[in-house]
């Protein structure tokens, strides 16, 4: 059975800290791995990773994929209270179907 | 960027009635749209894949006669919850794939359904 596992499930840090969120997967017919941020409503797209070892970066966020070890990490540097959210990792399989992990709830305290 | 809208954003209905939720891709054509359901503090659960001009593909355990999906155009998919019951109360979210060559999916803002 396909599965995506995220860790930790929740995390509390202070502003300015750096955090690393983990996502491991066992998915047949892997196509891509995607990261989303979910606040009160629907998820907003962060990154899509298809190739191993190539870092994607957007401001203070960055992510990388290791297709040999079947995992990805999402890094957030110099965290701000606005980074507080649930971060979802999903793997795209055949026909674009997304398999989601449980999510990591990040709380950034002032 | 790719924008997906949903309507309504929230709805309250009585048991036994039907509710229709619309999902639109505003600035791109989406040959494939997806419908998810999310319970509080849980992750998204895929209900069905909707392809323009063809029947939707439902995930195991999802009743296709209860959750009717229609993808009539390249920018619109609808989900109709028929004969709604309180246990159908949930957050329903659609997403759209930007192209057949990409696995990027963009999500609508979601619809909160409460069945009384």
């Amino acid at each position: 059975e396909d599965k995506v596992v995220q860790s930790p499930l929740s995390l509390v840090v202070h502003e300015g800290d750096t955090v690393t969120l983990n996502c491991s997967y066992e998915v047949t017919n892997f196509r891509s791995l995607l990261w989303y941020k979910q606040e009160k409503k629907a998820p907003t797209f962060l990154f899509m990773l298809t190739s191993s070892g190539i870092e994607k970066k957007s401001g203070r966020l960055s992510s990388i994929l290791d297709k040999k070890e079947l995992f990805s990490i999402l890094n957030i540097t110099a965290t701000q209270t606005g980074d507080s959210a649930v971060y979802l990792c999903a793997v795209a399989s055949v026909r674009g179907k997304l398999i989601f992990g449980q999510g990591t709830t990040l709380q950034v305290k002032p | 960027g790719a924008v997906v809208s949903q309507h309504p954003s929230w709805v309250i209905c009585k048991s036994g009635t039907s509710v229709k939720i619309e999902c639109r891709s505003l600035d791109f054509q989406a040959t494939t749209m997806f419908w998810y359901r999310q319970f509080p503090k849980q992750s998204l659960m895929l209900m069905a894949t909707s392809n323009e001009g063809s029947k939707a593909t439902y995930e195991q355990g999802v009743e296709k006669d209860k959750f009717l999906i229609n993808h009539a155009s390249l920018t619109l998919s609808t989900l109709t919850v028929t004969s709604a019951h309180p246990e159908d109360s949930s957050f329903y979210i659609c997403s759209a794939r930007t192209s057949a060559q990409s696995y990027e999916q963009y999500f609508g803002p979601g619809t909160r359904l409460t069945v009384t």
Side-chain angles (χ1 to χ4, degrees), chain A residues 16-69:
Chain A
D17 288 350
T18 293
V19 298
T20 299
L21 309 183
N22 303 294
C23 175
S24 64
Y25 61 92
E26 292 178 27
V27 175
T28 53
N29 299 305
F30 172 94
R31 295 292 185 266
S32 294
L33 186 143
L34 297 92
W35 284 97
Y36 290 89
K37 177 182 181 183
Q38 186 174 26
E39 296 172 268
K40 291 184 178 177
K41 290 196 171 181
T44 54
F45 175 81
L46 295 176
F47 297 111
M48 184 175 75
L49 303 151
T50 305
S51 301
S52 224
I54 299 174
E55 184 184 50
K56 290 218 172 177
K57 198 170 170 65
S58 176
R60 297 176 293 103
L61 278 66
S62 63
S63 184
I64 197 162
L65 173 67
D66 185 328
K67 291 169 74 173
K68 183 180 176 185
E69 300 298 329

Side-chain angles (χ1 to χ4, degrees), chain A residues 11-19 79-80 84 106-110:
Chain A
L11 192 55
V12 181
V13 300
H14 288 93
E15 275 192 315
D17 288 350
T18 293
V19 298
T79 52
Q80 302 170 357
S84 297
L106 173 65
Q107 183 183 359
V108 181
K109 291 187 172 182

